Amino acid sequence: MPEGPSHRDRVLIIGNGMAGQRLVEALLVRPTPPSQITVVGAERVPAYNRILLSPLLAGELDHAALTLRDADWYTEQGVELILGDRVERIERQARQVITASGRRLDYDRLVLATGSRPAMPPVPGIDLQGVHGFRDLEDAATLTECAQGGGSAVVIGGGLLGLEAAEGLRKRGMAVSVLQRASRLMNRQLDATAAGLLEAELASRGLTVITDARLAAVEDDGHGRVAAVHLEDGRRLVTDCVVVAAGITPNAELGHDAELDSDRAILVDAHLTTSDPAIHALGECCQFEQHTYGLVEPIWRQVEVLAAHLAGEAVGGYVEQPSATKLKISGVSLYAFGPTEAAPEHDVLSYHDPERGDYRRLLLRDGRLEGVVLYGDTRIGPWAFEQALAGSDLNACRQALLFGPADVQALLDAAAEDADRAADSAHLQRPVEEAA
């Protein structure tokens, strides 16, 4: 097998999700795109924006608003798009894949962009009718249909996706309970204060939030449908519908079966190349070092690296960076990145206005931002994230950090001007001192 790609290689992409579709677009704009691009998707519709599934479920958007590119666009771009057909096997020696319908597709470069699926807890009854995930359009349509009859729902998971699903079902008219295994909502992104504000807001809307809740079993109604959920502490919650949003499992089986090096997902190097130089993996199905993925920001960076690599361009490798979190629930403004808990060496800045529901907490180490939690007024968030990524020294404006980038930037500019004046003064004085 060749060591590096040629820009004229035939590229076959398995997966027509957001990562696969973005890779297609990134390849098409290269100066030397591949000679042929083929995309195979198991779903019957072209790629769509999964991030917008929550507002779709809530009735705030229609299906058309989610479509990224329609089928005609692929034809116009000369990209072969095969939908509704799942790849079942990779034959590495022949450089072919075999689909469920019996197609044999050749490749020079193969990209696995197969995404993930909900991680289903291993409890009795989890396979009953009425237990759903929330990962694709079919899930959203099923949950919308469930909500038409009203009734009640239990959402397993108090993270981003679980809360968005819960709010969507509530807006559709269901009585919704959220079960969170941790002691607070969004425990990986929020500190206790912000999580408390979020829980209070959701409760005021009618959601029931149960923390420290461990699912023990899903009860059968005697006809193969869900009737209730049981918690480890003995509580029983009657419900018509269960939504599992408690993590994801990478769709890495194709790689495993093809004997690619794998751990929790398909292992890749900094150029998104697997243990087979002709095969690459991207997004939620891949693992770089110890990292797996569920947010779009790192996946977009992976796309740019892989597109350049496949187009034969000299490119630096993928580098892991922090990601910021935003919650997609109407009327709730939340922005966070970095550690949720302060370490002893952190300098903690905080501001809390309970009446306005406004909370800000910044963690600095040696004058540099490492973590931010914003609830209510989040305008400073993107600016703060840029400063954290840049490793900016913010000591000169420490006292203004909580109140917005305009004030902070003015102080930073003033400090820079002072430094320039001091340098100029030192430069002017030096010849006098030397002459003396």
Side-chain angles (χ1 to χ4, degrees):
M1 293 183 180
E3 291 302 318
S6 162
H7 72 267
R8 302 309 298 164
D9 284 343
R10 298 167 298 174
V11 174
L12 173 61
I13 302 170
I14 303 177
N16 187 222
M18 292 177 68
Q21 192 271 339
R22 193 172 179 103
L23 178 61
V24 170
E25 299 215 19
L27 287 171
L28 290 174
V29 300
R30 308 327 278 198
T32 54
S35 60
Q36 177 182 318
I37 302 174
T38 301
V39 181
V40 184
E43 294 185 75
R44 297 185 179 277
V45 295
Y48 54 88
N49 189 341
R50 296 177 193 272
I51 296 172
L52 298 179
L53 284 174
S54 300
L56 175 69
L57 176 60
E60 299 166 356
L61 295 175
D62 60 19
H63 177 280
L66 274 67
T67 302
L68 295 171
R69 298 288 189 180
D70 60 24
D72 290 342
W73 177 86
Y74 290 86
T75 301
E76 292 165 1
Q77 301 299 320
V79 176
E80 181 183 14
L81 178 64
I82 301 170
L83 296 176
D85 201 2
R86 184 180 301 275
V87 172
E88 299 285 355
R89 190 167 75 255
I90 301 169
E91 294 189 353
R92 289 169 52 189
Q93 295 302 316
R95 291 200 179 179
Q96 288 185 329
V97 303
I98 294 86
T99 72
S101 69
R103 285 187 177 95
R104 283 185 170 268
L105 303 172
D106 298 315
Y107 67 85
D108 296 307
R109 298 286 156 183
L110 179 65
V111 179
L112 305 180
T114 48
S116 65
R117 60 187 182 275
M120 306 301 281
V123 300
I126 200 66
D127 295 326
L128 290 172
Q129 294 181 33
V131 178
H132 309 283
F134 184 43
R135 296 292 296 172
D136 57 30
L137 279 173
E138 185 176 344
D139 292 335
T142 299
L143 292 176
T144 300
E145 184 177 349
C146 290
Q148 288 176 350
S152 62
V154 171
V155 176
I156 313 297
L160 280 169
L161 190 61
L163 296 181
E164 291 168 5
E167 177 65 358
L169 291 172
R170 184 199 67 80
K171 293 188 75 171
R172 291 281 186 179
M174 300 193 84
V176 184
S177 298
V178 178
L179 305 184
Q180 168 69 330
R181 186 178 180 88
S183 60
R184 64 178 186 261
L185 296 175
M186 293 183 62
N187 58 296
R188 294 184 180 180
Q189 294 88 17
L190 302 183
D191 65 3
T193 302
L197 289 168
L198 176 60
E199 182 174 341
E201 169 61 27
L202 296 178
S204 74
R205 300 182 179 198
L207 286 174
T208 299
V209 176
I210 305 173
T211 55
D212 295 309
R214 288 167 170 76
L215 182 67
V218 181
E219 181 182 323
D220 192 331
D221 70 350
H223 302 284
R225 288 196 58 84
V226 60
V229 298
H230 292 259
L231 305 185
E232 289 183 1
D233 62 11
R235 279 179 287 180
R236 177 178 180 268
L237 306 177
V238 175
T239 188
D240 306 298
C241 170
V242 174
V243 181
V244 179
I248 58 176
T249 298
N251 290 328
E253 287 75 14
L254 275 175
H256 295 164
D257 294 345
E259 298 184 345
L260 300 176
D261 289 350
S262 303
D263 183 16
R264 288 174 292 143
I266 302 166
L267 293 171
V268 296
D269 64 15
H271 289 98
L272 289 307
T273 304
T274 71
S275 53
D276 183 330
I279 302 179
H280 310 270
L282 177 70
E284 293 173 340
C285 70
C286 82
Q287 178 178 335
F288 173 64
E289 296 175 343
Q290 74 273 27
H291 304 284
T292 54
Y293 303 92
L295 299 174
V296 297
E297 287 182 25
I299 296 173
W300 290 173
R301 296 197 302 272
Q302 291 178 358
V303 165
E304 290 305 311
V305 170
L306 181 55
H309 184 63
L310 291 174
E313 301 170 14
V315 61
Y318 171 77
V319 177
E320 196 65 32
Q321 295 180 6
S323 294
T325 295
K326 290 174 283 188
L327 186 63
K328 295 177 293 299
I329 291 179
S330 297
V332 176
S333 294
L334 184 156
Y335 191 98
F337 65 85
T340 58
E341 304 296 340
E345 60 272 22
H346 277 136
D347 183 10
V348 182
L349 303 180
S350 64
Y351 168 83
H352 188 191
D353 184 343
E355 291 186 4
R356 294 178 178 269
D358 190 10
Y359 174 69
R360 306 164 207 168
R361 191 220 61 190
L362 282 61
L363 300 180
L364 295 95
R365 188 195 304 264
D366 299 326
R368 290 168 171 80
L369 270 175
E370 288 195 346
V372 167
V373 174
L374 304 174
Y375 185 93
D377 184 351
T378 62
R379 287 174 294 177
I380 194 178
W383 179 88
F385 189 53
E386 289 178 6
Q387 302 307 307
L389 290 179
S392 301
D393 186 345
L394 302 173
N395 274 312
C397 56
R398 179 187 179 282
Q399 296 303 321
L401 280 173
L402 291 170
F403 301 104
D407 294 339
V408 172
Q409 197 61 54
L411 287 173
L412 287 176
D413 292 343
E417 289 176 5
D418 289 344
D420 289 341
R421 280 194 294 269
D424 290 342
S425 176
H427 177 72
L428 291 171
Q429 291 175 16
R430 190 174 300 115
V432 175
E433 293 168 353
E434 289 173 354

